Every structure is written in structure tokens, then in C-alpha cells.
Amino acid sequence: MNQPSQYRDMPARVAAPSIFTWIILVIFLALFIQGLSGAGFTPDRLLRGAGNLGNFFAQAMPPDFSRIGPIAKAMYETFQMALVGVTFGVILSLPMALLCARNTSPAAPVRVVCRGIVATLRTIPDLVWALIFVVAVGLGPLAGILAIIMDTIGFCARFFSERVEEIRPGPSEALASTGAGRMQVITGAVLPEAFPSFVATSLFAVEKAVRSAVVLGLVGAGGIGVELNTAMTMFRYDQALTIIMIILVVVIGVEQLSSAIRRRVL
């Protein structure tokens, strides 16, 4: 029997959870409670932690700007690491994305292999990549740049390929009907339509790389992370606060700049 119009316009009622939903909920609660108990989460520990945090800020204030020159140089090196790593990563991500996308890959086996490579690169954290490249090429910015390249390929190639698969088939089919080859269709129809999304994803990769480059320095991959690690190890919390403030300024500046570029492109 058809429902009256006033009932058809009402939102649907919440359905009763299925057995599968209850199983997932029980597993989630079990893991959550086990993780909470394993972390030693007690009020006494939290109170002592709050006191230690207060001592940290008491010793960190006021920030020490006596080493602002070396710190600024290390931050500049960190930014360069992120910029070089992302540039190479984005360049390498583009052909990988075309091989991963269903509508541009030459064959299904090639697509499966390339997607496996991208998934592997994305699964390994950038910090682990940095540890591997520190062993391979030694301490310094090169290890950080190589780690950022691997992380950027895993990040950008996935989103690039998804965007390529989402483009409208009409322009590609129209170009192919004129006798254009695969590469001509890609350069004449696929890339121009996906270009704004590529730019937006690349800018997100830059923001991500700047934050990652700070952490990579903690394992010897160069940059401001080395300065931060040294300051914390020597209990120079006033210098550590200066480094944290500079990192904050640079990260916010990069985010604002990328947002402005994204608004102009999209």
C-alpha cells in the first residue's frame, strides 16, 4: 500500500543493528578496553604527567633565540628536503598512476603489479623508509629526500589514479574516434581534465612532507629534527621551544600558501 505523501518525505528510521554490526562493536570494545588497560591510564599518572608538563614549560620559558641562525638554517634545509622529495615523488607518481588506472593501463597484469607496488610504498611509514635509507646512504638530507620520495609516490599515485578513473569518458572517446593513439588521448584529454586534482593532491603532499621532514630528522635524516633531538637530549627546553615555534610558523605558512594556490587552481 502506498504511503501518504507527508510520510514519504520523512527521513528513514534507524534500522536495528545486524549480527555483523554487533560482532564488530564487541570486537571494537574489547580492543579498546584492552588497549586502555595496557596503557597504564591512571589518574595518579595523569596528575604526575601534568606536573612534569608544567615543569617543561617552566624551563622552556622564555624561549632561547641565541642559536636562531643554525636553527633557521636547519629549518631551511628541512623545507628543501620536503620540496625536492615531493617534486621527484610527484613526477614519478604520474606514470605510475596511469599504469594503475583502469582506463589508461595497457593491460590488467600491469595494473595489478603497479597497484601492488603503490600499496607497498604507502603501507611502509616514512619513518621506516628514513631508517632504511640512513642505513643505505648514511646520515644526512639525502636519506630524508629518498624517504619522502617513496612516501609521496605511495600517496600521490593512489589519488592520481583514482582521479584518472573518475574522468568523463566522452572527451577521451571523441579523441580516440579521430584516430588518436593512447598517448595522444592521455595528453589531450585525460591529463588536462585531471590536472586541477593533481595540483591539489600535490599541494597536500607538500604540507605532509614538511611535517614528515621534521620527524625524519629525529632518526638522522637531516633537517630541523636533528636540532630538536639534540635540544631535548641535552635538556635545553628553551631552545627546543624556539625550534617548535619555528616549525609551527613554517608549517602554518606552507598550509596557507598551498590553500591560496588551491583556491586559484580549483
Side-chain angles (χ1 to χ4, degrees):
M1 188 174 69
N2 293 333
Q3 293 181 338
S5 59
Q6 64 269 27
Y7 294 118
R8 287 200 300 268
D9 296 335
M10 294 178 66
R13 292 179 179 273
V14 178
S18 63
I19 295 178
F20 177 76
T21 304
W22 280 113
I23 292 173
I24 295 295
L25 184 61
V26 169
I27 292 175
F28 169 77
L29 288 175
L31 292 174
F32 178 78
I33 293 172
Q34 187 181 19
L36 195 62
S37 61
F41 188 84
T42 61
D44 177 62
R45 195 173 178 186
L46 285 178
L47 286 174
R48 280 190 284 113
N52 293 334
L53 194 62
N55 291 333
F56 169 79
F57 282 111
Q59 297 180 44
M61 295 297 290
D64 181 8
F65 291 96
S66 62
R67 296 193 69 253
I68 188 66
I71 292 172
K73 184 179 179 182
M75 190 67 237
Y76 181 62
E77 183 182 80
T78 299
F79 182 74
Q80 286 180 316
M81 282 170 50
L83 199 62
V84 173
V86 169
T87 301
F88 279 112
V90 168
I91 292 172
L92 296 174
S93 295
L94 188 56
M96 187 62 79
L98 295 174
L99 294 173
C100 290
R102 189 175 292 103
N103 51 342
T104 55
S105 179
V110 175
R111 183 174 71 250
V112 172
V113 171
C114 291
R115 286 190 174 187
I117 294 173
V118 171
T120 303
L121 296 178
R122 189 172 60 253
T123 303
I124 299 175
D126 49 4
L127 196 61
V128 177
W129 279 120
L131 289 170
I132 293 172
F133 285 119
V134 164
V135 174
V137 301
L139 300 171
L142 179 59
I145 290 173
L146 294 174
I148 292 173
I149 290 174
M150 293 299 166
D151 188 61
T152 302
I153 295 174
F155 175 75
C156 285
R158 176 192 171 183
F159 288 101
F160 284 3
S161 64
E162 290 181 353
R163 181 65 188 106
V164 169
E165 289 181 345
E166 292 171 356
I167 64 169
R168 297 168 298 164
S172 300
E173 291 173 355
L175 199 57
S177 66
T178 64
R182 178 184 296 274
M183 288 305 299
Q184 291 171 316
V185 171
I186 290 174
T187 55
V190 175
L191 295 182
E193 186 164 352
F195 180 74
S197 178
F198 287 176
V199 174
T201 303
S202 301
L203 291 172
F204 278 124
V206 173
E207 296 176 17
K208 182 173 178 291
V210 171
R211 287 191 292 268
S212 296
V214 174
V215 181
L216 298 182
L218 297 176
V219 295
I224 195 71
V226 178
E227 291 283 342
L228 182 59
N229 189 32
T230 303
M232 295 296 288
T233 304
M234 298 177 66
F235 304 104
R236 293 302 307 268
Y237 299 140
D238 49 356
Q239 291 184 5
L241 182 60
T242 303
I243 296 169
I244 293 170
M245 291 168 61
I246 291 177
I247 293 171
L248 188 65
V249 169
V250 172
V251 169
I252 292 175
V254 170
E255 288 183 352
Q256 293 298 319
L257 180 62
S258 65
S259 298
I261 297 174
R262 201 177 297 121
R263 283 195 298 271
R264 286 180 174 273
V265 173
L266 297 181

